Amino acid sequence: MIEEEENGVNRNKGGGMNDSPLYEEIFRAKERRSNMRFYASLLAILFVFALFRGVFTATFARIDVDGSSMLPTLQSGDSLLMQYSDSPENDGVPLRIMRTPRRGDVIIVDVRKYDFNNVDFLIKRLIGVGGDTVKEENGLIYIKKKGETEFFPLESQPNNVKYDLKGQIYEVGEGEIFFLGDNTARSMDSRYKSGQSHFTDRLYRAEDICGVVPQWAIDRRGLAKTFNMIFGRAAGG
């Protein structure tokens, strides 16, 4: 086989430039760049997944409903995702995205410090906040906010829920909250005047709220088990 040398490059008449050392080096360089891009992409994907998992586990916890106090909205045995509220006890956790509870939200109330016969958490609906006056008429909740003179219907009251406050009107003091179970006939909540509260003369405090169940978590409650399978038990769950 005859070879010719031209411009410092060996050209094999049978194989062309494919057999030259220069071509092999170019091929190896391309292969190295391709491998680097693959590993860089893989590392980026793993980083995004780890970041998302960190945010998720810091922000949400799984809760399981036990009891009938939130019927018909929630059934006993339902699994839900709770987002941590912006209470001082939940602050300072890296990557945690906290949520401010609002009237009408389904909330998780931490009652561990009150020693209620092995009851650690309550799941209820937030009705009133500091400065509100709360009353009920024909199953509907009405709120008079601080500084206002008229009562207005609770905007986010579920259509299929009717409450019963037995004619009692509640004044919500600064820093306090008023909450109810959607099934008022079977709920221990904020109604201390009618004996439906763990307290006899006061309301719960805003800092007792440890989390909020977003509406999307109620509408798609099966997500709690799915996320737990992917990410494991959420922090603080």
Side-chain angles (χ1 to χ4, degrees):
M1 184 176 292
I2 301 175
E3 295 184 355
E4 295 180 358
E5 185 172 314
E6 182 178 338
N7 296 327
V9 178
N10 288 331
R11 295 198 304 173
N12 188 307
K13 290 184 178 181
M17 291 186 63
N18 291 347
D19 296 331
S20 70
L22 179 59
Y23 177 83
E24 292 177 359
E25 180 59 32
I26 293 173
F27 178 80
R28 286 194 292 269
K30 289 182 178 180
E31 189 175 32
R32 285 194 295 270
R33 287 195 295 270
S34 178
N35 290 338
M36 290 177 62
R37 285 193 294 267
F38 171 77
Y39 288 116
S41 300
L42 181 60
L43 287 174
I45 292 172
L46 293 175
F47 173 78
V48 171
F49 178 82
L51 180 62
F52 180 76
R53 184 185 187 279
V55 171
F56 173 80
T57 55
T59 301
F60 294 98
R62 172 180 166 176
I63 59 167
D64 297 316
V65 179
D66 181 15
S68 59
S69 70
M70 283 298 289
L71 288 173
T73 306
L74 300 174
Q75 309 285 331
S76 184
D78 282 347
S79 293
L80 303 166
L81 288 175
M82 174 202 81
Q83 183 174 357
Y84 286 99
S85 66
D86 56 356
S87 65
E89 292 184 0
N90 291 333
D91 200 7
V93 177
L95 302 178
R96 175 166 290 175
I97 301 173
M98 297 184 293
R99 178 179 175 126
T100 301
R102 296 178 175 84
R103 297 179 191 86
D105 283 343
V106 173
I107 59 173
I108 308 300
V109 185
D110 186 348
V111 295
R112 288 175 294 182
K113 61 186 175 183
Y114 300 122
D115 190 20
F116 290 147
N117 298 323
N118 298 321
V119 176
D120 293 333
F121 300 95
L122 304 176
I123 180 166
K124 306 293 177 182
R125 190 176 299 277
L126 181 61
I127 302 296
V129 298
D132 287 349
T133 301
V134 179
K135 71 174 184 178
E136 169 263 325
E137 291 182 5
N138 299 319
L140 299 178
I141 296 294
Y142 292 85
I143 304 291
K144 183 174 69 174
K145 299 178 182 179
K146 182 179 180 180
E148 298 184 355
T149 57
E150 297 184 8
F151 283 88
F152 294 93
L154 179 66
E155 295 180 0
S156 53
Q157 178 170 332
N159 294 328
N160 58 342
V161 172
K162 291 189 178 296
Y163 298 106
D164 181 11
L165 299 188
K166 301 186 182 303
Q168 299 289 351
I169 295 178
Y170 292 87
E171 303 282 347
V172 186
E174 291 299 325
E176 294 182 336
I177 54 173
F178 185 85
F179 56 82
L180 296 170
D182 285 353
N183 181 14
T184 48
R186 299 292 301 274
S187 175
M188 293 292 290
D189 41 53
S190 291
R191 295 171 291 163
Y192 67 87
K193 293 181 181 179
S194 54
Q196 295 298 118
S197 173
H198 297 97
F199 300 123
T200 58
D201 59 353
R202 73 174 180 89
L203 299 175
Y204 289 81
R205 306 290 299 177
E207 59 263 26
D208 294 331
I209 301 176
C210 66
V212 178
V213 180
Q215 186 58 45
W216 59 261
I218 297 174
D219 295 337
R220 300 171 178 82
R221 60 198 72 184
L223 287 176
K225 293 182 179 179
T226 302
F227 277 120
N228 262 35
M229 290 174 60
I230 299 173
F231 298 112
R233 187 170 182 264

